[in-house]
Coordinates of all heavy atoms in Angstrom, one line a residue:
E701 N -33.1 13.5 -17.1 CA -34.5 14.1 -17.1 C -35.5 13.1 -16.6 O -36.6 13.5 -16.1 CB -34.9 14.7 -18.4 CG -34.1 15.9 -18.9 CD -32.8 15.5 -19.6 OE1 -32.6 14.2 -19.9 OE2 -32.0 16.3 -19.9
Q702 N -35.2 11.8 -16.8 CA -36.2 10.7 -16.4 C -36.1 10.4 -14.9 O -36.9 9.6 -14.4 CB -35.9 9.5 -17.3 CG -36.0 9.8 -18.8 CD -37.4 10.3 -19.2 OE1 -38.4 9.8 -18.7 NE2 -37.4 11.3 -20.0
L703 N -35.0 10.8 -14.3 CA -34.9 10.5 -12.8 C -35.8 11.3 -11.9 O -36.1 12.5 -12.3 CB -33.4 10.7 -12.4 CG -32.3 9.9 -13.2 CD1 -30.9 10.3 -12.7 CD2 -32.5 8.4 -12.9
S704 N -36.1 10.8 -10.8 CA -36.9 11.6 -9.8 C -35.9 12.6 -9.1 O -34.7 12.4 -9.2 CB -37.4 10.6 -8.8 OG -36.4 10.1 -7.9
T705 N -36.5 13.5 -8.5 CA -35.7 14.5 -7.7 C -34.8 13.8 -6.7 O -33.6 14.1 -6.6 CB -36.6 15.5 -7.0 OG1 -37.4 16.2 -8.0 CG2 -35.8 16.5 -6.2
K706 N -35.4 12.8 -6.0 CA -34.6 12.1 -5.0 C -33.4 11.4 -5.7 O -32.3 11.3 -5.1 CB -35.5 11.0 -4.3 CG -34.9 10.4 -3.1 CD -36.0 9.5 -2.5 CE -35.4 8.9 -1.2 NZ -36.4 8.2 -0.4
E707 N -33.6 10.8 -6.9 CA -32.5 10.1 -7.6 C -31.4 11.1 -8.0 O -30.2 10.8 -8.0 CB -33.1 9.3 -8.8 CG -33.9 8.1 -8.4 CD -34.6 7.5 -9.5 OE1 -35.1 8.3 -10.4 OE2 -34.7 6.3 -9.6
V708 N -31.8 12.3 -8.5 CA -30.9 13.3 -8.9 C -30.0 13.8 -7.7 O -28.8 13.9 -7.8 CB -31.6 14.5 -9.6 CG1 -30.6 15.6 -9.8 CG2 -32.2 14.0 -10.9
I709 N -30.7 13.9 -6.6 CA -29.9 14.3 -5.3 C -28.9 13.2 -5.0 O -27.8 13.5 -4.6 CB -30.9 14.6 -4.2 CG1 -31.7 15.9 -4.5 CG2 -30.2 14.7 -2.9 CD1 -32.8 16.2 -3.6
K710 N -29.3 12.0 -5.0 CA -28.4 10.9 -4.8 C -27.2 10.9 -5.8 O -26.1 10.6 -5.4 CB -29.1 9.5 -4.8 CG -30.0 9.2 -3.6 CD -30.6 7.8 -3.7 CE -31.4 7.5 -2.5 NZ -32.0 6.1 -2.6
L711 N -27.5 11.1 -7.0 CA -26.5 11.2 -8.0 C -25.5 12.3 -7.8 O -24.3 12.1 -7.9 CB -27.2 11.4 -9.4 CG -26.3 11.4 -10.6 CD1 -25.5 10.1 -10.8 CD2 -27.1 11.7 -11.9
Y712 N -26.0 13.4 -7.3 CA -25.2 14.6 -7.0 C -24.2 14.2 -5.8 O -23.0 14.4 -5.9 CB -26.0 15.8 -6.6 CG -25.1 17.0 -6.2 CD1 -24.5 17.8 -7.1 CD2 -25.0 17.3 -4.9 CE1 -23.7 18.8 -6.7 CE2 -24.2 18.4 -4.5 CZ -23.6 19.1 -5.4 OH -22.8 20.2 -5.0
S713 N -24.8 13.6 -4.8 CA -24.0 13.2 -3.6 C -22.9 12.2 -4.0 O -21.8 12.3 -3.6 CB -24.9 12.6 -2.6 OG -24.2 12.1 -1.5
A714 N -23.3 11.2 -4.8 CA -22.3 10.2 -5.3 C -21.2 10.9 -6.1 O -20.1 10.5 -6.0 CB -23.0 9.1 -6.1
S715 N -21.6 11.8 -7.0 CA -20.6 12.5 -7.8 C -19.6 13.3 -7.0 O -18.4 13.3 -7.2 CB -21.3 13.5 -8.8 OG -22.2 12.8 -9.7
I716 N -20.1 14.0 -6.0 CA -19.2 14.8 -5.1 C -18.3 13.8 -4.4 O -17.1 14.1 -4.3 CB -20.0 15.6 -4.1 CG1 -20.8 16.7 -4.8 CG2 -19.1 16.2 -3.0 CD1 -20.0 17.7 -5.6
K717 N -18.8 12.7 -3.8 CA -17.9 11.7 -3.2 C -16.8 11.2 -4.1 O -15.7 11.0 -3.7 CB -18.7 10.6 -2.6 CG -19.5 11.0 -1.4 CD -20.4 9.8 -0.9 CE -21.3 10.3 0.3 NZ -22.2 9.3 0.7
E718 N -17.2 10.9 -5.3 CA -16.3 10.4 -6.3 C -15.2 11.4 -6.7 O -14.0 11.1 -6.8 CB -17.0 9.8 -7.5 CG -16.1 9.2 -8.6 CD -15.3 8.0 -8.1 OE1 -15.6 7.4 -7.0 OE2 -14.3 7.6 -8.7
L719 N -15.6 12.7 -6.9 CA -14.7 13.7 -7.2 C -13.7 13.9 -6.0 O -12.5 14.1 -6.3 CB -15.4 15.0 -7.5 CG -16.2 15.0 -8.8 CD1 -17.1 16.3 -8.9 CD2 -15.2 15.0 -10.0
K720 N -14.1 13.8 -4.8 CA -13.2 13.9 -3.7 C -12.3 12.7 -3.6 O -11.1 12.8 -3.4 CB -14.0 14.0 -2.3 CG -14.6 15.4 -2.2 CD -15.3 15.6 -0.8 CE -15.8 17.0 -0.7 NZ -16.4 17.2 0.6
R721 N -12.8 11.5 -3.9 CA -12.0 10.3 -3.9 C -10.9 10.4 -4.9 O -9.7 10.0 -4.7 CB -12.8 9.1 -4.2 CG -12.0 7.7 -4.0 CD -12.8 6.5 -4.5 NE -13.0 6.5 -6.0 CZ -12.0 6.2 -6.8 NH1 -10.8 5.9 -6.4 NH2 -12.2 6.2 -8.1
R722 N -11.2 11.0 -6.1 CA -10.2 11.2 -7.1 C -9.3 12.4 -6.9 O -8.4 12.7 -7.7 CB -10.9 11.3 -8.5 CG -11.6 10.1 -8.9 CD -12.3 10.3 -10.2 NE -13.1 9.2 -10.6 CZ -13.5 8.9 -11.8 NH1 -13.2 9.7 -12.8 NH2 -14.3 7.9 -12.1
K723 N -9.5 13.1 -5.8 CA -8.8 14.3 -5.4 C -8.9 15.4 -6.5 O -8.0 16.2 -6.7 CB -7.3 14.0 -5.2 CG -7.1 13.0 -4.0 CD -5.7 12.7 -3.7 CE -5.4 11.9 -2.6 NZ -6.3 11.0 -2.0
I724 N -10.1 15.5 -7.1 CA -10.4 16.6 -8.0 C -10.9 17.7 -7.2 O -10.6 18.9 -7.5 CB -11.4 16.1 -9.1 CG1 -10.7 15.1 -10.0 CG2 -11.9 17.3 -9.9 CD1 -11.6 14.4 -11.0
I725 N -11.7 17.5 -6.2 CA -12.1 18.5 -5.3 C -11.7 18.1 -3.9 O -11.6 16.9 -3.6 CB -13.7 18.8 -5.3 CG1 -14.5 17.5 -5.0 CG2 -14.1 19.3 -6.7 CD1 -15.9 17.8 -4.8
R726 N -11.3 19.1 -3.1 CA -10.8 18.9 -1.8 C -11.6 19.5 -0.7 O -11.4 19.2 0.5 CB -9.3 19.4 -1.7 CG -8.4 18.7 -2.8 CD -7.0 19.3 -2.7 NE -7.0 20.7 -3.1 CZ -6.1 21.6 -2.7 NH1 -5.1 21.2 -1.9 NH2 -6.2 22.9 -3.1
T727 N -12.4 20.5 -1.1 CA -13.2 21.2 -0.1 C -14.7 21.3 -0.5 O -15.0 20.6 -1.5 CB -12.7 22.7 0.1 OG1 -13.0 23.4 -1.2 CG2 -11.2 22.7 0.3
N728 N -15.5 22.1 0.1 CA -16.9 22.3 -0.3 C -17.0 23.3 -1.4 O -18.1 23.6 -1.8 CB -17.7 22.6 0.9 CG -17.9 21.4 1.8 OD1 -17.9 20.3 1.4 ND2 -18.0 21.7 3.1
N729 N -15.9 23.9 -1.8 CA -15.8 24.9 -2.8 C -15.7 24.2 -4.2 O -14.6 24.1 -4.8 CB -14.7 25.9 -2.6 CG -14.7 27.0 -3.7 OD1 -15.5 27.0 -4.6 ND2 -13.7 27.9 -3.6
V730 N -16.7 23.6 -4.6 CA -16.7 22.7 -5.8 C -16.2 23.4 -7.0 O -15.3 22.9 -7.7 CB -18.1 22.0 -6.0 CG1 -18.1 21.2 -7.3 CG2 -18.5 21.2 -4.8
I731 N -16.7 24.5 -7.3 CA -16.3 25.3 -8.5 C -14.9 25.7 -8.5 O -14.1 25.5 -9.4 CB -17.3 26.5 -8.8 CG1 -18.7 26.0 -8.9 CG2 -16.8 27.3 -10.0 CD1 -19.0 25.1 -10.1
G732 N -14.5 26.2 -7.4 CA -13.1 26.7 -7.2 C -12.1 25.5 -7.3 O -11.1 25.6 -8.0
D733 N -12.4 24.4 -6.6 CA -11.6 23.2 -6.7 C -11.5 22.6 -8.1 O -10.4 22.3 -8.5 CB -12.0 22.2 -5.7 CG -11.8 22.4 -4.3 OD1 -11.0 23.4 -4.0 OD2 -12.2 21.7 -3.4
M734 N -12.6 22.6 -8.8 CA -12.6 22.1 -10.2 C -11.8 23.0 -11.1 O -11.0 22.5 -11.9 CB -14.0 21.9 -10.7 CG -14.7 20.7 -10.0 SD -16.4 20.6 -10.5 CE -16.2 19.6 -12.0
G735 N -11.9 24.3 -10.9 CA -11.2 25.2 -11.7 C -9.7 25.1 -11.5 O -8.9 25.1 -12.4
E736 N -9.3 24.9 -10.2 CA -7.9 24.8 -9.9 C -7.4 23.5 -10.5 O -6.3 23.4 -11.1 CB -7.7 24.7 -8.3 CG -6.3 24.6 -7.9 CD -6.1 24.6 -6.4 OE1 -6.7 23.7 -5.7 OE2 -5.4 25.5 -5.9
Y737 N -8.1 22.4 -10.4 CA -7.7 21.1 -10.9 C -7.5 21.2 -12.4 O -6.5 20.7 -12.9 CB -8.8 20.0 -10.6 CG -8.5 18.7 -11.2 CD1 -7.7 17.8 -10.6 CD2 -9.1 18.4 -12.5 CE1 -7.4 16.6 -11.2 CE2 -8.8 17.2 -13.1 CZ -8.0 16.3 -12.5 OH -7.7 15.1 -13.1

């Protein structure tokens, strides 16, 4: 809650990249990929 909007967007982007690196998500269907995982 203390982060700026810009920081939250960067955090989201970093989270998506890390989830892809860990092969938790494989596509842009984040919810479907996470559910499958």
Side-chain angles (χ1 to χ4, degrees):
E701 293 87 5
Q702 304 301 315
L703 299 175
S704 70
T705 299
K706 191 174 186 175
E707 291 169 321
V708 172
I709 291 169
K710 283 183 178 180
L711 182 63
Y712 177 77
S713 176
S715 296
I716 294 299
K717 286 177 184 175
E718 182 61 19
L719 289 168
K720 285 185 177 184
R721 187 189 70 76
R722 294 181 186 200
K723 297 184 177 22
I724 294 171
I725 61 173
R726 301 177 296 153
T727 68
N728 290 329
N729 181 359
V730 176
I731 300 301
D733 285 354
M734 289 175 85
E736 182 180 62
Y737 174 84

